[in-house]
Amino acid sequence: CIEELRKANGRPLTAREIAEKVIQAEGKDPRDRKLGNDMVKRVGKSLKLLREQGVAESRGRAGNLAWFCRGPP
């Protein structure tokens, strides 16, 4: 998920946007709602860990956070 933030070149992404990119990169069905929801949760947990490590930053309110990579991409 950090790769997707780096590719965004400073543009904030939501956990859902990152999850969709990961699903697409893995060649899985993007219309699978259960997979999509599970991936959003997994990405969200990863992003929180990255924030704790100082690698990612979030803005917004819970449920509608925009994430971006800190420092140079």
Side-chain angles (χ1 to χ4, degrees), residues 4 11-22 40 43 65-67:
E4 294 303 328
R11 183 179 75 82
L13 297 173
T14 65
R16 183 157 305 277
E17 290 172 320
I18 295 169
E20 289 170 356
K21 291 175 184 288
V22 170
V40 169
V43 166
L65 292 175
W67 295 87

Side-chain angles (χ1 to χ4, degrees), residues 9 13 15 17 24 28 31 40 42 57 65 69:
N9 292 323
L13 297 173
E17 290 172 320
Q24 183 180 10
K28 297 184 179 173
R31 297 169 295 175
V40 169
R42 289 158 75 194
E57 196 171 322
L65 292 175
C69 201

Side-chain angles (χ1 to χ4, degrees), residues 1 26-27 29 35 40-41 46-47 49 56-59 62 66-67 72:
C1 105
E26 291 180 352
D29 184 3
L35 173 64
V40 169
K41 288 178 188 175
S46 295
L47 289 167
L49 287 173
E57 196 171 322
S58 63
R59 291 200 181 130
W67 295 87

